Amino acid sequence: MSDQTTSHAANGGGHNSGLAVDGQFVFSEWAPNTPVRTVSHTLKLANQKLWINLGGLFRIHRVQIWNSRHCCPERFIGTHTYADSKLLGVAISAKYLYDYDIDDADPTYARSITLHQIRVEYLQISEVLVWGSGPFAEDDKFA
């Protein structure tokens, strides 16, 4: 999927939410004054969220989250990942890649993906990738 729109509760030092869906996987720089900065993060507060508007109703097949590689992968621990209101998973350990495959026996349709960090911590990531099919009409009998 492409052309998603994003927002988050607070713009952490110029690391805006659009960097989470820009398709860039450069892991070397994070400083706001560099053109290769690809990390999106919020302020260090509880209940920080990143919302990704998919632009329509899609069947979600997979969501992959690339954690920040420049520092502190443990910051993502505690983050809940949702497709609309359906919980896809919770980060319980520090990893550089979180991969949520959706079981074909339990189809998931959504208009948005939300990352919700419940702890008092930065929500920082390099990229969110969403695999899906659609968009589907509101009255689609399978949606």
Side-chain angles (χ1 to χ4, degrees):
M1 297 173 148
S2 61
D3 296 326
Q4 301 99 348
T5 58
T6 63
S7 63
H8 56 52
N11 189 9
H15 303 278
N16 69 56
S17 64
L19 294 169
V21 295
D22 65 356
Q24 301 298 315
F25 295 92
V26 177
F27 301 120
S28 61
E29 297 291 334
W30 66 270
N33 62 350
T34 178
V36 295
R37 171 181 44 104
T38 64
V39 176
S40 172
H41 78 70
T42 64
L43 299 175
K44 188 174 182 177
L45 300 169
N47 293 312
Q48 295 296 288
K49 293 182 181 181
L50 172 72
W51 297 276
I52 301 169
N53 180 345
L54 301 175
L57 180 64
F58 288 86
R59 180 171 179 181
I60 308 300
H61 301 287
R62 180 180 185 188
V63 176
Q64 198 174 65
I65 302 158
W66 292 53
N67 200 354
S68 176
R69 294 189 179 252
H70 76 281
C71 118
C72 320
E74 69 280 357
R75 289 178 175 172
F76 198 76
I77 295 172
T79 300
H80 294 62
T81 301
Y82 296 92
D84 282 350
S85 62
K86 181 178 181 178
L87 180 65
L88 301 180
V90 178
I92 58 172
S93 63
K95 299 184 205 178
Y96 288 110
L97 178 67
Y98 297 87
D99 201 356
Y100 300 110
D101 279 319
I102 311 303
D103 188 344
D104 285 339
D106 186 21
T108 298
Y109 292 83
R111 290 174 185 77
S112 67
I113 301 296
T114 303
L115 307 183
H116 179 194
Q117 174 53 279
I118 61 171
R119 300 183 308 131
V120 175
E121 188 55 89
Y122 296 102
L123 175 55
Q124 77 178 35
I125 58 164
S126 288
E127 196 73 18
V128 177
L129 301 171
V130 181
W131 283 265
S133 53
F136 293 94
E138 293 292 325
D139 60 351
D140 190 303
K141 68 179 184 177
F142 298 107

